[in-house]
Amino acid sequence: MEMLNRDTFTPLISVRNLKKYFPIQRGFLRKLVGYVRAVDDVNLEIEERETLGLVGESGSGKSTLGRTMIRLYDPTDGQIFFRDGDKIINLTELEGEELRKFRKNMQIIFQDPFSSLNERMTVLENVGDPLIINGLISSRQELIEQVVETLQQVGLRREDIRRYPHSFSGGQRQRICIARALILKPKFIVCDEPVSALDVSIQAQILNLLKDLQEQFGITYLFISHDISVVRYMADRIAVMYAGRLVEVAPRDELLTHPLHPYTEALLSAVPRTVMGRRKGRAILTGDPPDPANLPTGCVFHVRCRYTRDICKEEQPNLRSIDSNHHVSCHLAETLELKGMEIHV
Amino acid sequence: MSLELTERVIEVNNLKTYFYLDIGVVKAVDGVDFSVDRGKTLGIIGESGCGKSVTVHTIMRLIQSPPGKIVDGSIKLYRFRNNELEVVDITKLDPKGKEMRNIRGKEIGMVFQEPMTAFSPMYTIGDQIVEAILTHENIDKKKARERAIEFLRRVGIPRPERTIDAYPFQLSGGMRQRAMIAMALSCYPRLLIADEPTTAVDVTVQAQILDLLQELQEEMKLAIIFITHNLAVVSEIADDIAVMYLGKIVEFGKKEEIFNHPLHPYTVALFRSIPKVEGKLERLVPIYGNVPSSYQIPEGCSFHPRCESAIRGICNVTLPDLIDVGNGHKVRCLIYQKVEV
Ligand SMILES: Nc1ncnc2c1ncn2[C@@H]1O[C@H](COP(=O)(O)OP(=O)(O)OP(=O)(O)O)[C@@H](O)[C@H]1O
Ligand SMILES: Nc1ncnc2c1ncn2[C@@H]1O[C@H](COP(=O)(O)OP(=O)(O)OP(=O)(O)O)[C@@H](O)[C@H]1O
Ligand code: SF4
Ligand code: SF4
Ligand SMILES: [Mg+2]
Ligand SMILES: [Mg+2]
């Protein structure tokens, strides 16, 4: 697993100051009382064939970021650029037919393989549906051929096209979902906790499949997971999200062993380890996750941070680069000596 | 009574719980043996459907009957009555009777994956914990409330004097989990059963709960049965580990033994299939095939259709026994057993 060369970095996707706010409405008249700032001023880039891992606690905005990046949600503000050959497409400006056409480049795989398929449709219809919607096939024979080819790529068989989703196991259903995402030959796939609902022994099959497909078709992934060991296996770089903001982005091993943000430190120290003996001296995170409708001033992490200074309560730190690969949003990044994981490679 | 036996809290022998359904018999738990001593934690791991929950629900006598039935074995609970040690066989009790109701909650506490299954949304957590205490102990309401507040404080709930009057939905997932632990421990049980208590929470909350359980265990000399499918979690909390496959324990031993010298081909395969946070990054090796349907458990060694080391003509015929290979490390595999061919 080689690291990306940042000098020749030509991102497939660039996200600039992206925001997604959900309105909070109350009462009979649905009066607007505020906003949930689910994604708040996010900047990031993903290179072609790269896997960017995205971690963070529940409610931190990971799914919202993934969905907004592929325009399943309309952004509240900011820009998303997508490189298509030599052209740079501004996704945020695409509307109507143009957007619909462009969508085939971007797909999503969800956590729950039990609710993301249509139970009343056969595998042929479930997987082939995107081809029909996009008017990309001219005959039933062509539909069958393309679906069968894709099913075989994900390890399913020709006979399976006539079966209904309920007759498959969880792992097989996730394969069907992957086939559905794959059939339009997308450049970019958001994997939103794709193995969290699967049994441990099935996870390996799906993770290996996603890796092989990436190799074969040059796909780029945003890989969302709360499981650090899964992210370590999949990602080239890791981004950490907290309360709608990216707090740290770095190459995988660098982030795991030398975190620069206090939240990342706390997150890593909480990861259960298979090393023997009970560990002492965890940087245990106290307090509750922030209320996204009512975020603290200054640094969003300051109420739970072990290192808070006065400046943290007043000024919001921005994501900035410490070196060319390592970005962090913490006022004290240069002075703190944080503890990462020993990963014994 | 010897010291060894007074330290014992529970001993399960040859336990079998089957479900009799129209389409066939599910042998969910099929001959399980283990014991847990004071201050020790047994971790039970295994793939979905291998019988972890049915095992502990049988101990709590929470299995619906019909279709479920304990068809064999014993569950001996060691407890003190007027400073005398006595042993009850839980399988012989009426699941709805007074004695069993008293064991649940008083002698054995239980926490679940989803705290909402333990708490009713209609009452405050305080009402429910106080009620649990009053059911089992001869103290007045005021004392019970004081104890509930004390336990809420002990599990790290902020401002317990106020939080005690909160409804479950008013607490975050992590706080609910803590409140459930407080309720499970509020009558000082000797055994705590935790069925995937951290599966639905974030890693940061998970770490807090694991630390909390270990602290309380030390303080109260609790015996714990901890069910999880997360190997790293079990390695942090367990003293002994039981690996289950299709209703049977296939490997049992000290945590260090299981992690450093796994013997059963299933355990070895399971370890190779799971991503790790440390060590060299190697391609994962999925376990061959799928878990068979629980109606059709394979003949002989039930792992044989998926086992790389299976010996044809032997493994698909002979049922292996759980053999002690030394130091209490037990394995159910014909490779470690002298078989007559
Ligand atoms: N459609 C929506 N309408 C209103 N609020 C929403 C919507 N979707 C998400 N939110 C809110 O936005 C915040 C971020 O949610 P999101 O689902 O993106 O988090 P997440 O990091 O994916 O969490 P998890 O790990 O639990 O999946 C949460 O506070 C959530 O309640
Ligand atoms: N009430 C029931 N009726 C019929 N079969 C049941 C019942 N409860 C459990 N089973 C079956 O018993 C077997 C063991 O189930 P159990 O819930 O103990 O698995 P588990 O190891 O806890 O799995 P998981 O990790 O998914 O929680 C499964 O095949 C299950 O389908
Ligand atoms: S800016 Fe201050 S409060 Fe925020 S993470 Fe850094 S040290 Fe902690
Ligand atoms: S008994 Fe045979 S099939 Fe079963 S685990 Fe041992 S080698 Fe494999
Ligand atoms: Mg999500
Ligand atoms: Mg279970």
Side-chain angles (χ1 to χ4, degrees):
Chain A
M1 268 168 243
E2 63 172 332
M3 278 296 149
L4 295 160
N5 182 350
R6 298 274 115 198
D7 299 333
T8 58
F9 186 78
T10 44
L12 177 76
I13 293 179
S14 310
V15 169
R16 293 276 157 263
N17 306 102
L18 192 67
K19 294 180 182 166
K20 179 64 192 174
Y21 293 179
F22 294 108
I24 310 168
Q25 288 155 328
R26 293 254 161 77
F28 178 65
L29 294 172
R30 304 195 58 74
K31 193 164 156 278
L32 181 69
V33 293
Y35 290 96
V36 172
R37 298 195 284 183
V39 171
D40 204 6
D41 209 11
V42 163
N43 287 286
L44 70 86
E45 292 172 333
I46 314 180
E47 197 182 0
E48 196 160 352
R49 293 172 177 267
E50 183 187 30
T51 299
L52 179 70
L54 182 59
V55 300
E57 64 193 332
S58 184
S60 58
K62 304 180 296 295
S63 298
T64 307
L65 176 58
R67 287 169 200 207
T68 312
M69 277 172 72
I70 59 171
R71 292 260 341 238
L72 281 185
Y73 293 154
D74 279 328
T76 305
D77 198 9
Q79 249 94 52
I80 306 155
F81 298 101
F82 200 107
R83 185 161 53 77
D84 188 13
D86 296 337
K87 286 184 304 204
I88 304 284
I89 310 288
N90 186 344
L91 259 190
T92 16
E93 283 171 1
L94 293 189
E95 293 295 340
E97 184 64 6
E98 271 186 328
L99 178 61
R100 203 183 60 74
K101 275 205 179 125
F102 197 77
R103 278 197 191 284
K104 68 177 198 309
N105 291 306
M106 315 172 296
Q107 295 295 319
I108 184 164
I109 301 166
F110 297 102
Q111 168 172 0
D112 188 0
F114 292 90
S115 61
S116 38
L117 293 169
N118 187 331
E119 292 297 335
R120 278 185 294 239
M121 297 193 333
T122 61
V123 170
L124 177 69
E125 292 159 331
N126 263 297
V127 175
D129 194 40
L131 289 176
I132 303 169
I133 292 175
N134 284 283
L136 294 172
I137 33 136
S138 49
S139 69
R140 186 172 164 83
Q141 196 46 44
E142 204 180 324
L143 175 72
I144 292 176
E145 269 164 33
Q146 289 204 32
V147 170
V148 167
E149 189 191 330
T150 313
L151 286 179
Q152 285 166 348
Q153 283 160 359
V154 302
L156 293 170
R157 292 167 309 189
R158 174 176 279 274
E159 306 86 270
D160 294 330
I161 56 172
R162 268 171 252 295
R163 294 171 59 189
Y164 288 87
H166 68 82
S167 66
F168 290 88
S169 69
Q172 288 172 321
R173 292 173 61 113
Q174 196 56 294
R175 284 174 195 267
I176 300 171
C177 296
I178 294 172
R180 187 183 152 91
L182 215 58
I183 198 148
L184 295 175
K185 304 196 167 41
K187 293 198 170 71
F188 177 55
I189 301 182
V190 174
C191 305
D192 193 352
E193 308 261 10
V195 296
S196 306
L198 301 178
D199 213 346
V200 277
S201 62
I202 316 285
Q203 288 192 3
Q205 298 173 14
I206 299 296
L207 295 176
N208 283 348
L209 173 65
L210 289 172
K211 267 177 173 281
D212 294 344
L213 293 170
Q214 176 171 49
E215 187 85 349
Q216 202 177 345
F217 301 111
I219 306 169
T220 303
Y221 291 134
L222 177 71
F223 191 93
I224 301 173
S225 175
H226 62 266
D227 186 337
I228 299 283
S229 56
V230 169
V231 169
R232 175 176 180 237
Y233 186 62
M234 296 301 291
D236 301 299
R237 286 186 304 144
I238 300 176
V240 183
M241 210 164 172
Y242 185 83
R245 305 181 69 93
L246 282 192
V247 295
E248 187 162 4
V249 187
R252 179 192 62 219
D253 290 353
E254 163 82 7
L255 186 118
L256 296 177
T257 55
H258 296 105
L260 291 176
H261 195 283
Y263 173 67
T264 314
E265 179 187 50
L267 184 68
L268 296 178
S269 87
V271 172
R273 311 290 295 270
T274 43
V275 285
M276 288 309 135
R278 288 170 183 177
R279 284 169 311 116
K280 300 270 182 249
R282 264 178 180 151
I284 284 280
L285 194 59
T286 51
D288 276 344
D291 172 3
N294 198 359
L295 292 177
T297 57
C299 171
V300 278
F301 190 53
H302 89 249
V303 272
R304 300 170 83 189
C305 181
R306 317 204 278 168
Y307 309 101
T308 311
R309 306 264 174 84
D310 285 344
I311 178 180
C312 307
K313 293 171 194 156
E314 284 143 29
E315 268 178 55
Q316 191 171 69
N318 285 320
L319 193 69
R320 59 203 169 92
S321 37
I322 296 295
D323 63 49
S324 63
N325 291 332
H326 203 146
H327 308 270
V328 61
S329 68
C330 168
H331 293 303
L332 309 181
E334 283 85 353
T335 55
L336 297 175
E337 284 190 22
L338 304 183
K339 207 162 149 255
M341 301 201 301
E342 285 160 33
I343 54 175
H344 310 288
V345 274
Chain B
M1 208 41 94
S2 74
L3 180 70
E4 194 182 316
L5 282 180
T6 51
E7 288 295 295
R8 183 122 309 165
V9 173
I10 194 163
E11 196 174 295
V12 173
N13 287 305
N14 194 33
L15 185 66
K16 296 187 181 178
T17 305
Y18 294 178
F19 292 94
Y20 294 87
L21 309 177
D22 296 345
I23 20 176
V25 180
V26 177
K27 299 181 175 179
V29 175
D30 198 17
V32 159
D33 306 272
F34 61 77
S35 61
V36 192
D37 292 348
R38 288 186 73 201
K40 298 286 183 205
T41 301
L42 169 71
I44 305 181
I45 58 174
E47 282 168 279
S48 188
C50 69
K52 304 181 294 293
S53 295
V54 173
T55 301
V56 293
H57 286 147
T58 307
I59 294 175
M60 295 293 270
R61 298 301 306 272
L62 293 172
I63 298 289
Q64 279 278 354
S65 177
K69 188 167 189 290
I70 301 176
V71 294
D72 202 357
S74 62
I75 302 168
K76 291 187 188 131
L77 182 72
Y78 292 68
R79 62 174 177 186
F80 285 92
R81 275 292 151 89
N82 312 318
N83 283 328
E84 288 286 319
L85 183 72
E86 68 169 36
V87 184
V88 270
D89 184 347
I90 290 179
T91 61
K92 302 282 186 297
L93 302 178
D94 172 5
K96 296 203 176 73
K98 184 158 177 279
E99 179 135 41
M100 198 57 228
R101 280 206 314 270
N102 199 35
I103 287 173
R104 277 195 290 268
K106 171 74 190 134
E107 317 273 355
I108 311 175
M110 182 152 179
V111 295
F112 306 85
Q113 171 172 351
E114 183 36 70
M116 288 316 249
T117 56
F119 286 116
S120 152
M122 310 291 287
Y123 300 95
T124 65
I125 55 167
D127 286 343
Q128 300 183 56
I129 299 175
V130 166
E131 179 62 34
I133 298 172
L134 291 177
T135 311
H136 296 301
E137 306 209 10
N138 211 354
I139 56 176
D140 63 30
K141 214 167 170 175
K142 187 161 163 286
K143 281 253 156 51
R145 189 177 160 92
E146 278 166 16
R147 194 198 280 187
I149 291 175
E150 213 29 65
F151 267 96
L152 290 174
R153 187 189 322 282
R154 188 59 205 84
V155 297
I157 288 188
R159 296 173 301 280
E161 309 78 11
R162 288 224 314 269
T163 318
I164 188 167
D165 296 318
Y167 287 89
F169 67 86
Q170 293 173 313
L171 302 180
S172 70
M175 285 299 150
R176 274 205 294 269
Q177 210 79 352
R178 284 163 188 270
M180 180 167 53
I181 293 171
M183 179 154 86
L185 296 181
S186 61
C187 295
Y188 301 97
R190 301 182 75 219
L191 175 65
L192 179 73
I193 294 176
D195 190 354
E196 308 254 12
T198 62
T199 306
V201 298
D202 279 320
V203 279
T204 46
V205 179
Q206 170 173 286
Q208 292 166 5
I209 287 172
L210 293 180
D211 284 4
L212 173 66
L213 282 177
Q214 286 176 6
E215 269 173 51
L216 293 169
Q217 172 168 51
E218 231 160 80
E219 222 174 277
M220 300 170 67
K221 278 291 214 168
L222 266 179
I224 299 181
I225 298 176
F226 194 102
I227 295 180
T228 174
H229 59 262
N230 187 320
L231 291 180
V233 166
V234 84
S235 85
E236 287 215 339
I237 192 151
D239 298 293
D240 291 328
I241 291 177
V243 184
M244 280 187 81
Y245 187 74
L246 288 177
K248 291 189 163 64
I249 292 178
V250 296
E251 186 159 9
F252 181 94
K254 294 259 162 292
K255 164 177 77 182
E256 293 78 8
E257 278 284 308
I258 301 287
F259 274 92
N260 298 332
H261 312 287
L263 295 177
H264 197 280
Y266 175 66
T267 316
V268 174
L270 195 62
F271 286 1
R272 272 190 305 173
S273 75
I274 291 170
K276 296 174 190 60
V277 279
E278 59 231 326
K280 214 163 158 288
L281 262 186
E282 280 166 358
R283 192 173 163 90
L284 300 175
V285 187
I287 304 178
Y288 175 79
N290 295 310
V291 182
S293 148
S294 40
Y295 305 109
Q296 291 165 354
I297 295 183
E299 293 284 310
C301 169
S302 57
F303 188 55
H304 86 260
R306 307 175 74 190
C307 180
E308 278 182 3
S309 318
I311 312 156
R312 281 188 56 194
I314 298 180
C315 294
N316 53 343
V317 182
T318 311
L319 176 70
D321 298 320
L322 194 63
I323 301 285
D324 194 330
V325 294
N327 291 329
H329 191 159
K330 296 175 190 162
V331 57
R332 188 188 290 279
C333 168
L334 295 167
I335 293 174
Y336 301 93
Q337 186 177 343
K338 296 212 167 47
V339 266
E340 312 285 322
V341 188

